């Protein structure tokens, strides 16, 4: 079977769940081959976990410059891997960094590019949500090596243990004049909650939360469920919650197993970022809110009465267990 290249998304110490999702998707097309871009020693730390999830090959693209420049080392590594493996496709995670790398790689290879895919079949046809979530389409690359960016959460990760062969890619020196150098790093807000695009449960608040203090009920329900906290653009623009937690067309796209929307009306901008969630629960005082047209379960009521009851119910069930 042909190789299918998968760009490994990581923080230097841990592989993100989205990478395991890509490996599962890659097995539909051929033998997954993971491409690790990082400083020396990174690939060695990840090889075992990547092999456990089906990577038959691990390409180590390591250099001291890998963490000093935006995108360029990643694109260089993927291009080298494509030249070496002649893969059936290249899969990346449809994050901001992933989409940039995918676009630049497709331009270098003169190849077709499909982004924000939510499914992939064995023939290479992808399902996409387009035009702000208004349409679902099926697309296929017909020119060159397909470069495909899959939305986090679109495919369930599966363990598929194999023996991985490590291969080395010699990264070229980066031309500083043609690349963006990282001059400083700032640690974002962190805590015990999972990242938005890693979480299996997301609880989001909207304008109906009423203010920053109102997000306490959102956080309490998310913590009870072991999930992440999200926010609509309206809530973020109003200063209720930090921008990094925005879910939507201009924020992050998520596809958790459970998405709970509290006080979110359901503007197209927001739906575009969460409508592929497996189960959607909405709580809103307005029975005509558009979110109810998408929700699997809807509650017409005051979120400040409903959400605490949900939190108490979840806590009680956990205590019984």
């Amino acid at each position: 079977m042909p190789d299918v290249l998968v760009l490994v998304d990581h923080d230097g110490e841990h592989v993100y769940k989205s990478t395991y999702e890509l490996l599962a998707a890659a097995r539909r097309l051929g033998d997954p081959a993971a491409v690790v871009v990082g400083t020396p020693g990174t690939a060695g730390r990840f090889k075992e976990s990547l092999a456990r999830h089906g990577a038959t090959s691990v390409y180590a693209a390591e250099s001291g410059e890998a963490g000093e420049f935006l995108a360029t080392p990643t694109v260089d590594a993927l291009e080298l891997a494509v030249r070496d493996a002649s893969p059936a496709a290249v899969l990346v995670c449809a994050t901001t960094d992933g989409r940039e790398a995918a676009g630049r790689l497709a331009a270098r290879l003169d190849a077709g590019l499909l982004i924000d895919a939510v499914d992939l079949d064995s023939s290479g046809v992808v399902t996409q949500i387009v035009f702000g979530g208004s349409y679902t389409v099926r697309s296929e690359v017909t020119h060159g090596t397909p470069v495909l960016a899959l939305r986090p959460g679109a495919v369930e990760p599966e363990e598929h243990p194999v023996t991985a062969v490590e291969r080395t890619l010699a990264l070229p020196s980066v031309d500083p004049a043609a690349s963006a150098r990282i001059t400083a790093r700032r640690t974002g807000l962190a805590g015990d909650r999972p990242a938005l695009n890693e979480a299996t449960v997301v609880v989001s608040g909207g304008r109906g939360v009423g203010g920053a203090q109102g997000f306490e009920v959102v956080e309490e329900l998310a913590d009870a469920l072991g999930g992440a906290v999200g926010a609509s653009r309206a809530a973020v623009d109003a200063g209720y919650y930090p921008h990094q937690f925005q879910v939507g067309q201009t924020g992050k796209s998520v596809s958790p197993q459970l998405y709970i929307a509290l006080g979110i009306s359901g503007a197209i901008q927001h739906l575009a970022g969460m409508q592929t969630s497996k189960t959607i629960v909405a709580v809103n005082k307005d029975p005509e809110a558009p979110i109810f047209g998408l929700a699997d379960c809807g509650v017409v009521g005051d979120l400040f009465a409903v959400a605490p009851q949900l939190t108490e119910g979840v806590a009680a069930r956990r205590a019984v267990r």
Side-chain angles (χ1 to χ4, degrees), residues 18 21 93-95 116-117 150-155 197-198 253-256 276:
S18 55
E21 296 169 2
C93 184
T95 59
D116 216 21
L150 272 67
R151 182 179 290 191
V155 178
N197 54 8
E198 296 280 305
S253 296
V254 298
S255 295
T276 56

Side-chain angles (χ1 to χ4, degrees), residues 171-282:
L171 286 177
S173 296
V174 178
D175 179 5
S179 303
R181 182 186 290 273
I182 299 172
T183 58
R185 297 181 185 274
R186 183 174 57 191
T187 303
L189 296 175
D192 295 332
R193 302 186 187 104
L196 264 176
N197 54 8
E198 296 280 305
T200 56
V201 176
V202 174
V203 182
S204 288
R207 190 192 301 274
V209 171
Q213 187 173 357
F215 258 87
E216 290 180 4
V217 297
V218 181
E219 293 176 333
E220 288 169 359
L221 180 55
D223 291 342
L225 292 167
V229 174
S232 69
R233 178 173 176 175
V236 169
D237 287 348
Y240 297 173
Y241 220 65
H243 180 270
Q244 71 189 71
F245 298 100
Q246 180 181 328
V247 173
Q249 191 172 15
T250 55
K252 293 183 178 179
S253 296
V254 298
S255 295
Q257 294 295 314
L258 173 62
Y259 188 90
I260 300 179
L262 302 177
I264 295 176
S265 63
I268 288 295
Q269 199 277 344
H270 185 76
L271 299 185
M274 48 66 71
Q275 64 183 357
T276 56
S277 302
K278 308 306 182 289
T279 300
I280 299 171
V281 176

